[in-house]
Amino acid sequence: MTALEVDGLTVRHGDVLALDDVSLRLEEGTVCGLMGPNGSGKSTLFGAVMGLVRPERGTVGVLGTTSAAARRRAAVAYMPQAEAIDPDFPIVAHQVVLTGRYAGMGFTRRPRPADRAAVDVALDRVGLTGLADRQIGRLSGGQRKRVFLARAIAQDAPLLLLDEPFAGVDHGTQEEMTRVLRELSEAGCTVLVSTHDIAGVSRLCDRVALLAGRLLADGTPDEVLTPEVLGRVFGLRSAS
Ligand code: ADP
Ligand code: MG
């Protein structure tokens, strides 16, 4: 099944053409890296897939339905680039993870044993069990990213959208998150993840989509991240 189908997507922010006729199709179980320089439209693409940004043209299909319908049944887990939680807000790690279960909890938001269990499992998977009761503002940046990954895991969504989950994260944490994401994909989860880490993307992703307003390239990491592309798009020169 196709997990995500973006077709001819064009998005403007005022005068800025942020996405120009972008088409992307992810089959179930794919881990796709979204790369491109700052301002290339990566976050805009996530916003459009979530239905938070209105496109000028084009369509988004999520798991055979619209993004609004997929969101209503909590089928998409989204980790925004900037966390929506104020670090001073008095909420502890396991409570943040529990918010991933809200859609299934009804309007009373009273957690059932299954919700508590899902939170514990998710915290364990990201290695944060010992910090479950720590206030969110008293965690490191990398630990906070892991809390938000745990929230996405607890949501049990078939599609994960992660906008720069490795930004400000140490190497060990990145390796740990990579391992968890590979496991999720082996279980059938589809992942779209933006990152600037060229070496890390080859370990994590089956595919890379390279964005610069337009979609410049789309293929395996080896196909896309050629020395020519790295030089042209990122201004990097190979060591040789
Ligand atoms: P990336 O995530 O790749 O850094 P963005 O999607 O955040 O790129 O931004 C794409 C372009 O759209 C940039 O030129 C950015 O300045 C512009 N942009 C993004 N969001 C807004 C906004 N809310 N209002 C105006 N311009 C925006
Ligand atoms: Mg961004």
Side-chain angles (χ1 to χ4, degrees):
M1 191 175 72
T2 304
L4 176 63
E5 185 151 25
V6 170
D7 190 30
L9 201 64
T10 297
V11 176
R12 254 177 235 281
H13 296 295
D15 302 337
V16 178
L17 181 60
L19 292 176
D20 182 6
D21 194 23
V22 170
S23 298
L24 184 70
R25 186 188 164 108
L26 300 187
E27 296 305 321
E28 213 170 33
T30 307
V31 182
C32 180
L34 187 60
M35 301 196 78
N38 290 327
S40 59
K42 302 181 296 297
S43 295
T44 300
L45 180 58
F46 286 113
V49 171
M50 287 301 287
L52 305 171
V53 173
R54 183 197 281 276
E56 182 176 285
R57 268 198 316 279
T59 57
V60 174
V62 177
L63 302 153
T65 181
T66 62
S67 53
R71 277 181 70 187
R72 273 196 298 278
R73 50 186 178 83
V76 192
Y78 170 47
M79 189 201 283
Q81 185 170 355
E83 294 148 10
I85 285 182
D86 174 354
D88 293 330
F89 193 72
I91 182 169
V92 301
H94 74 82
Q95 292 171 313
V96 173
V97 178
L98 186 65
T99 62
R101 306 289 299 178
Y102 276 1
M105 277 160 50
F107 80 99
T108 61
R109 294 195 169 163
R110 187 174 298 137
R112 297 155 302 179
D115 297 314
R116 301 250 182 241
V119 168
D120 290 345
V121 167
L123 280 166
D124 181 53
R125 283 192 88 164
V126 303
L128 281 185
T129 301
L131 296 175
D133 294 317
R134 172 99 36 115
Q135 200 214 314
I136 194 77
R138 296 188 49 237
L139 295 169
S140 72
Q143 288 166 339
R144 232 170 5 243
K145 289 279 185 191
R146 282 194 276 164
V147 170
F148 285 93
L149 179 60
R151 176 170 74 166
I153 292 170
Q155 192 180 324
D156 211 9
L159 178 63
L160 252 59
L161 306 175
L162 310 173
D163 196 355
E164 300 202 18
F166 307 127
V169 158
D170 63 65
H171 183 72
T173 301
Q174 179 169 348
E175 292 291 298
E176 187 73 14
M177 289 169 81
T178 296
R179 188 181 55 72
V180 172
L181 292 172
R182 288 301 325 172
E183 285 170 6
L184 290 170
S185 114
E186 271 145 39
C189 204
T190 309
V191 182
L192 181 64
V193 50
S194 68
T195 173
H196 289 283
D197 181 359
I198 291 161
V201 85
S202 307
R203 284 195 293 276
L204 171 61
C205 299
D206 315 302
R207 258 175 77 185
V208 175
L210 186 62
L211 203 59
R214 291 179 304 115
L215 192 69
L216 293 185
D218 176 12
T220 66
D222 285 349
E223 285 166 356
V224 170
L225 301 171
T226 61
E228 193 268 326
V229 165
L230 295 178
R232 187 162 48 88
V233 179
F234 296 101
L236 300 175
R237 255 190 275 180
S238 64
S240 60

